[in-house]
Amino acid sequence: PPATARARAPACALAVPLAHAQVTLTPDNTWRYLFTAGANATSGNSSSSALNLQFDGARLSDMDKWTFSTQLQTARNNGTKTTERLLLGTQYNRDISGALFGFGSADLLRDEPANLSTRSTLASGLGLHVIESERHTFDIRGGLAYTQDNYVNPALVDGVLRDSYGRAELVLGEESNHKLTDTTTFQQKLAIYPNLRDSGQRRAVFDAKVSVAMTKSLNLTAGLSMRYNSDPG
């Protein structure tokens, strides 16, 4: 189908150094990390299992921000693999003047049940800090990207049966972080990629996460991850 969605079960997150709810963003040019893990298993007339692991890192200074994220999701139902997804991503932002900044990003996705051996995306452009405060941040950005899809099995894309498909794309995105209370944070990120090779086709990526600090080093996290492709092959 054109759209796929996956919801991550509530999970416990262990941060090093100590952090509340997400990677702590403090402009001291120091790397901070957050590890999130979630799993469930059932057995009886039917059996199922699922595992979700994520590792995030962030470094913030007065002039730039560098973040990365790694996520692994697997699931089986009655012995059949229903999910096997690996996501790697990084983004670097550098302030240029006032609220204006430049960015560069790289993403890699592997999702065999979705017939994706790999999807790699490189993007670069300009952004604007719309809101910058201690409790809330909101950025918008736009630029150009190039995406290369490699398929597990040949797929019909743009009217042709292909083993792979590369194209230039626009990238239009927004991202925000919110400290709702002293122990609760919410973050979300949306990017839309209009296809410049096949006019009218597009992709969209959305991630959101809410975290509640249970202790200084342990958080309860629930997240939603959605990927859309109008011509998925």
Side-chain angles (χ1 to χ4, degrees), residues 38 47 60 64 72 90 109 122-123 225:
S47 61
L60 181 66
D64 65 357
L72 173 66
T90 185
L109 172 67
L122 295 175
S225 176

Side-chain angles (χ1 to χ4, degrees), residues 107-129:
D107 296 282
L108 179 68
L109 172 67
R110 179 178 175 84
D111 194 339
E112 286 194 14
N115 198 37
L116 275 176
S117 175
T118 58
R119 168 179 289 156
S120 54
T121 301
L122 295 175
S124 182
L126 296 174
L128 189 68
H129 299 301

Side-chain angles (χ1 to χ4, degrees), residues 8 11-26 30-36 54-60 65 67-69 133-139 175-189 207-223:
R8 291 183 290 182
C12 289
L14 182 61
V16 184
L18 302 184
H20 285 287
Q22 63 185 54
V23 179
T24 304
L25 295 177
T26 303
T30 299
W31 278 101
R32 288 178 168 82
Y33 308 97
L34 184 72
F35 176 70
T36 306
Q54 184 164 339
F55 184 68
D56 300 298
R59 191 204 69 187
L60 181 66
K65 180 173 73 171
T67 61
F68 72 83
S69 180
S133 69
E134 183 179 349
R135 302 187 71 90
H136 304 283
T137 65
F138 178 63
D139 295 341
E175 179 179 2
S176 67
N177 292 270
H178 309 275
K179 188 174 182 180
L180 304 180
T181 70
D182 289 340
T183 58
T184 304
T185 61
F186 173 74
Q187 58 183 155
Q188 61 82 35
K189 185 176 183 179
D207 293 291
K209 180 168 62 177
V210 61
S211 296
V212 179
M214 301 168 66
T215 69
K216 286 186 176 181
S217 58
L218 190 67
N219 310 316
L220 183 66
T221 301

Side-chain angles (χ1 to χ4, degrees), residues 3-172:
T4 60
R6 295 179 176 87
R8 291 183 290 182
C12 289
L14 182 61
V16 184
L18 302 184
H20 285 287
Q22 63 185 54
V23 179
T24 304
L25 295 177
T26 303
D28 58 3
N29 207 31
T30 299
W31 278 101
R32 288 178 168 82
Y33 308 97
L34 184 72
F35 176 70
T36 306
N40 65 70
T42 64
S43 63
N45 294 333
S46 63
S47 61
S48 64
S49 61
L51 175 68
N52 175 36
L53 302 174
Q54 184 164 339
F55 184 68
D56 300 298
R59 191 204 69 187
L60 181 66
S61 74
D62 292 332
M63 293 295 297
D64 65 357
K65 180 173 73 171
W66 190 2
T67 61
F68 72 83
S69 180
T70 302
Q71 184 181 27
L72 173 66
Q73 292 177 316
T74 63
R76 290 183 176 272
N77 186 37
N78 291 327
T80 300
K81 179 170 60 180
T82 57
T83 301
E84 187 172 282
R85 182 171 178 264
L86 174 65
L87 177 65
L88 306 172
T90 185
Q91 181 168 322
Y92 179 75
N93 296 349
R94 178 84 179 181
D95 290 344
I96 298 174
S97 177
L100 186 68
F101 67 91
F103 76 90
S105 65
D107 296 282
L108 179 68
L109 172 67
R110 179 178 175 84
D111 194 339
E112 286 194 14
N115 198 37
L116 275 176
S117 175
T118 58
R119 168 179 289 156
S120 54
T121 301
L122 295 175
S124 182
L126 296 174
L128 189 68
H129 299 301
V130 179
I131 298 175
E132 279 190 294
S133 69
E134 183 179 349
R135 302 187 71 90
H136 304 283
T137 65
F138 178 63
D139 295 341
I140 57 175
R141 67 185 193 278
L144 293 173
Y146 185 83
T147 295
Q148 176 74 30
D149 289 349
N150 297 307
Y151 303 113
V152 177
N153 300 304
L156 187 66
V157 180
D158 194 16
V160 178
L161 192 64
R162 308 172 187 269
D163 293 316
S164 62
Y165 180 59
R167 69 277 191 190
E169 299 172 318
L170 290 175
V171 54
L172 306 170

